[in-house]
Amino acid sequence: MNGRDSDSGEAFLLRVSKWMHGWSQQCLAEKGVAGMKSIGPFAVVMPPLGGADPLAGWSDAPFFEEEPPSDLGGCIAITSTSFAHVQTLMTGCTRLMELGERLSSLGLRDQPMAVVIPSKGLVRLCPGGVFGEKISIGLDAAPMTDIDEATMDRELQSFHDLCLRYPDGVSHAWHDRKQRVLRRDAEAIVRDALFVYLSWKAFSSKIVLREHQTSVGRSDISLLDNSRGQAVTSCIMELKVLRSRGMTKSKKEKPYKPETMRRHCLMGVKQAMKYKNAENAPLAYLCLYDGRDADDEVPDAKTAADAGVILYRRYFMETSTRDDLEPAAA
């Protein structure tokens, strides 16, 4: 359902997250809660590209996806997104710190990985390795119970705080943050990051689609509810990135007029309305990720969105963790 960069760290973590869901359900059925919590921490790691081969002396695990070792505690498994070739190392580590140190000593510290902590019922997703940003999900990978406005607002705010609000977030859309110049492909970066984030939150009865093909075009993100056996569109999202400056194909700085951004927002409202009507979706969002110089609303877009029963949401992108403190200090 991603359709892009199947060998990317994000695609790898999404695939591993879904495997974790199946593994945890199977483990709970076989061992119960107490049995699962007795398993030590273990890691599933994306293989490094190039350089020395760290896998020498490891064990092949050809059926790891279907039938992993009965006790994964202390295990480090290296696998591609497809799980076609898995190699494992039983380290004997019983504590999380020990496991982290072993990953570092093996030259795997910067690889995308999922570190599973059964005793706490958690998975730590590490897109940038053990010392990078960490995203926590429940090991049971429970699906979103509802796709309603309150739930989606909470998840959208959490996504923004984690990925885009500050320049050291998980997703990097800035070309030059100090000059507030966004990358040319910033909109695609936001779309793909939101797709992955929501997919981590919706494993069982909810389906997340990126660039969902409707009868009137492709929505950026669609959430489908399959709880009754038939997938029904519950929410669609149209995403727009606002900027004062961007980049051309030749990597030269390009200014954008406020009027251009206003029209961009209004186009987003029209697109959201089309997709909402075509899919008969109860919820439709226009999400504006705002990298302009000024933290200002777009009144015309909000008015048009309200008239079309589209939920207008704007998320300002800071260039420093101190930016949002300055007004209060003043």
Side-chain angles (χ1 to χ4, degrees):
M1 293 184 188
N2 189 348
R4 285 171 60 97
D5 301 333
S6 60
D7 59 348
S8 69
E10 289 83 359
F12 170 78
L13 288 176
L14 177 58
R15 179 68 181 84
V16 172
S17 298
K18 292 184 176 180
W19 175 80
M20 293 292 178
H21 172 59
W23 174 81
S24 66
Q25 296 301 308
Q26 180 181 346
C27 188
L28 282 169
E30 293 177 358
K31 298 175 177 287
V33 175
M36 187 171 78
K37 287 194 171 185
S38 69
I39 298 173
F42 63 93
V44 182
V45 187
M46 185 175 178
L49 297 176
D53 184 0
L55 307 184
W58 290 42
S59 300
D60 287 323
F63 297 105
F64 183 90
E65 183 177 13
E66 293 81 12
E67 193 172 342
S70 57
D71 184 359
L72 283 170
C75 176
I76 298 174
I78 293 185
T79 177
S80 63
T81 304
S82 67
F83 275 67
H85 186 201
V86 184
Q87 292 191 296
T88 59
L89 178 68
M90 303 306 294
T91 67
C93 297
T94 59
R95 296 174 57 246
L96 192 59
M97 185 68 74
E98 291 178 306
L99 186 65
E101 291 172 350
R102 192 62 184 275
L103 286 161
S104 293
S105 70
L106 291 167
L108 300 172
R109 55 173 278 171
D110 297 325
Q111 289 303 109
M113 69 181 73
V115 179
V116 188
I117 314 167
S119 62
K120 295 183 178 180
L122 289 175
V123 180
R124 296 277 198 261
L125 301 173
C126 309
V130 292
F131 291 103
E133 193 82 38
K134 296 176 180 64
I135 303 160
S136 296
I137 61 173
L139 187 53
D140 61 354
M144 281 190 245
T145 54
D146 297 296
I147 299 180
D148 55 26
E149 185 176 345
T151 301
M152 296 314 304
D153 279 347
R154 182 178 66 248
E155 296 301 340
L156 284 168
Q157 186 61 56
S158 177
F159 164 74
H160 180 57
D161 291 342
L162 175 71
C163 294
L164 290 165
R165 183 175 182 181
Y166 299 114
D168 58 352
V170 172
S171 298
H172 303 284
W174 292 108
H175 170 76
D176 183 340
R177 65 179 180 86
K178 291 184 178 179
Q179 299 299 319
R180 298 193 68 84
V181 180
L182 284 162
R183 287 178 48 170
R184 188 168 180 271
D185 58 348
E187 218 157 82
I189 290 171
V190 173
R191 180 194 60 219
D192 291 353
L194 182 57
F195 162 77
V196 172
Y197 175 84
L198 291 175
S199 295
W200 288 336
K201 296 284 187 175
F203 294 100
S204 295
S205 61
K206 308 297 187 291
I207 302 169
V208 185
L209 298 177
R210 172 193 166 276
E211 291 196 308
H212 178 208
Q213 181 67 60
T214 74
S215 60
V216 293
R218 294 177 182 269
S219 64
D220 284 325
I221 301 288
S222 292
L223 279 82
L224 279 57
D225 191 337
N226 197 38
S227 58
R228 298 183 181 179
Q230 182 176 2
V232 177
T233 302
S234 295
C235 179
I236 67 100
M237 297 180 182
E238 181 63 25
L239 315 179
K240 297 296 182 188
V241 170
L242 307 184
R243 61 188 91 199
S244 295
R245 282 168 296 283
M247 302 294 294
T248 65
K249 287 184 179 180
S250 58
K251 297 184 179 180
K252 293 182 179 179
E253 187 178 310
K254 177 183 178 181
Y256 285 84
K257 297 179 180 179
E259 176 60 23
T260 301
M261 291 295 97
R262 188 185 75 87
R263 291 199 304 267
H264 194 48
C265 294
L266 291 173
M267 177 61 72
V269 174
K270 291 180 180 179
Q271 289 173 293
M273 289 173 62
K274 284 171 57 179
Y275 304 143
K276 174 183 170 70
N277 293 335
E279 294 292 296
N280 196 28
L283 292 176
Y285 278 83
L286 171 66
C287 296
L288 306 177
Y289 293 91
D290 195 346
R292 295 174 300 167
D293 292 340
D295 184 3
D296 294 331
E297 294 293 351
V298 187
D300 289 356
K302 187 174 189 317
T303 299
D306 291 344
V309 198
I310 303 298
L311 297 168
Y312 167 102
R313 301 290 186 267
R314 188 179 65 89
Y315 304 95
F316 191 67
M317 298 163 63
E318 315 284 355
T319 52
S320 166
T321 54
R322 297 186 61 83
D323 282 359
D324 59 339
L325 300 178
E326 290 178 359

